[in-house]
Amino acid sequence: MSEQKLAAELRTEFGKGYARRARMANLIPAVIYGHGADPIHVTLPAKATTLAVRTPNALLSLDINGEGHLALVKDVQRDPVKQIIEHIDLLTVRKGEKVTVDVAVHVEGESAPGTVHNLELTTVSLEAEATHLPTAVEVSIEGRAAGEHIHASDLVLPKGTVLLTDAEALVVNISEEVEIVEETETEEGAEGAEEEAPAAEVAAE
């Protein structure tokens, strides 16, 4: 994953009132923490940052008043209704440093005819270099038969990563496709019985 460059500005104001003014000025409040240093409070350009954080575990190369700073996006807080980014938590990292990230599991291929797959685990936890973070872990289900299971230990991990998720955790389950029985014939049979009922009653009289 390549670094995404953004210009950041130091901030000394806090609180909801300031955050609201910042958003009106197309800025997003953020905080950078890690390595035992004091947190650094900054603002980021809204448009460029919104595009950058679309990538999971985005790595940002920040220019803070002319000083370079490498940071990993750890948490994005959004307005529950408008989905506008309200605040971002960033973890300071160094090149070559190992970090822990949750990476999405992507299913490829199709299982055997008459079967369906269930993705039981949507993400796995990995240890990887901060500047070489994978965007996803691919798992192939091509031709897999009903009853087969794919566990975390079966995943082919990107080069340089280490699995932290429990190796026995179930990732994908292949099962038989369940057929839905249509009730049309049953309903027609019931209607026919209702129509014959009056005739039977007349005969009885």
Side-chain angles (χ1 to χ4, degrees):
M1 182 191 305
S2 60
E3 304 167 17
Q4 304 188 62
K5 297 181 179 181
L6 294 174
E9 296 181 3
L10 291 172
R11 62 185 173 96
T12 56
E13 295 184 70
F14 308 95
K16 292 183 178 180
Y18 168 75
R20 184 167 52 252
R21 293 194 302 273
R23 287 193 295 273
M24 290 179 65
N26 293 318
L27 297 172
I28 298 175
V31 61
I32 308 170
Y33 60 91
H35 289 173
D38 293 335
I40 303 173
H41 299 274
V42 298
T43 55
L44 303 172
K47 184 177 181 179
T49 303
T50 300
L51 291 173
V53 301
R54 287 181 179 179
T55 303
N57 303 312
L59 184 64
L60 306 182
S61 177
L62 304 177
D63 181 343
I64 306 176
N65 295 344
E67 181 179 337
H69 204 104
L70 202 59
L72 180 67
V73 176
K74 295 300 290 183
D75 185 53
V76 179
Q77 299 158 30
R78 299 178 184 271
D79 180 280
V81 178
K82 298 179 180 179
Q83 289 299 302
I84 297 172
I85 298 177
E86 296 185 326
H87 190 274
I88 296 179
D89 288 349
L90 302 168
L91 176 66
T92 185
V93 295
R94 299 189 181 99
K95 290 186 177 182
E97 179 182 4
K98 297 283 189 177
V99 295
T100 299
V101 291
D102 290 331
V103 179
V105 177
H106 287 178
V107 175
E108 291 187 333
E110 295 184 2
S111 55
T115 66
V116 294
H117 76 275
N118 298 299
L119 184 60
E120 307 289 348
L121 202 62
T122 57
T123 63
V124 291
S125 183
L126 303 177
E127 182 183 71
E129 284 191 22
T131 53
H132 294 86
L133 297 177
T135 56
V137 173
E138 309 291 344
V139 54
S140 175
I141 61 168
E142 188 64 36
R144 295 270 187 170
E148 290 195 49
H149 302 88
I150 300 174
H151 297 90
S153 58
D154 299 320
L155 298 175
V156 178
L157 301 180
K159 185 178 179 180
T161 64
V162 177
L163 179 69
L164 299 181
T165 295
D166 182 0
E168 296 303 314
L170 179 61
V171 179
V172 183
N173 174 39
I174 310 298
S175 59
E176 291 185 1
E177 187 174 10
V178 178
E179 294 185 6
I180 300 176
V181 180
E182 296 184 2
E183 299 180 358
T184 305
E185 295 181 1
T186 305
E187 292 174 355
E188 290 177 352
E191 290 176 359
E194 290 177 358
E195 292 176 356
E196 293 175 0
E201 290 176 2
V202 171
E205 291 177 358

